[in-house]
Amino acid sequence: MAAISKTPAVLSSEILIKNAGHQGYFILLEGDFDQRFWENRLTQNLRLINCTGKPHVLGTLELLTRQNKAENIVALVDKDYDEILSRLASHQNLVYT
């Protein structure tokens, strides 16, 4: 079943609430396929967050960074055509796949 699309503001608020007592990292993902791919490949102290699209991943990362709350956040996004179109975002917590 597809995830319900949430805004970056809602996603960042949920992460801040879930962060209480969490010792690991939050992994921001683009969608359902990414979540299914990574859920069996990562350790238990990593929480997967389906952001339902690259714009929401980048927006959520940006909001958490502005709030100085991105220290335990890693965003994974597909490169798609971003490099060809010179649209690669730059952030220390952002990984292109």
Side-chain angles (χ1 to χ4, degrees):
M1 177 159 67
I4 297 172
S5 183
K6 298 178 182 177
T7 66
V10 170
L11 289 163
S12 61
S13 294
E14 287 181 0
I15 290 168
L16 292 174
I17 291 168
K18 292 177 182 179
N19 199 24
H22 181 62
Q23 300 298 317
Y25 284 81
F26 290 92
I27 310 297
L28 307 182
L29 302 170
E30 287 188 53
D32 295 331
F33 175 81
D34 300 305
Q35 189 167 2
R36 285 191 307 272
F37 177 82
W38 288 108
E39 66 189 356
N40 294 323
R41 291 170 170 83
L42 300 174
T43 64
Q44 291 180 354
N45 58 343
L46 299 174
R47 288 195 181 172
L48 303 177
I49 306 294
N50 183 347
C51 296
T52 64
K54 186 187 297 185
H56 287 165
V57 171
L58 298 175
T60 302
L61 180 60
E62 178 62 29
L63 280 174
L64 291 168
T65 299
R66 278 193 264 141
Q67 298 170 7
N68 293 317
K69 302 290 184 183
E71 63 275 353
N72 65 336
I73 304 294
V74 176
L76 301 178
V77 294
D78 298 332
K79 192 179 277 189
D80 299 321
Y81 294 101
D82 290 352
E83 188 170 32
I84 295 169
L85 299 173
S86 298
R87 294 190 314 201
L88 288 176
S90 178
H91 192 285
Q92 67 183 12
N93 298 39
L94 177 62
V95 178
Y96 279 94
T97 59

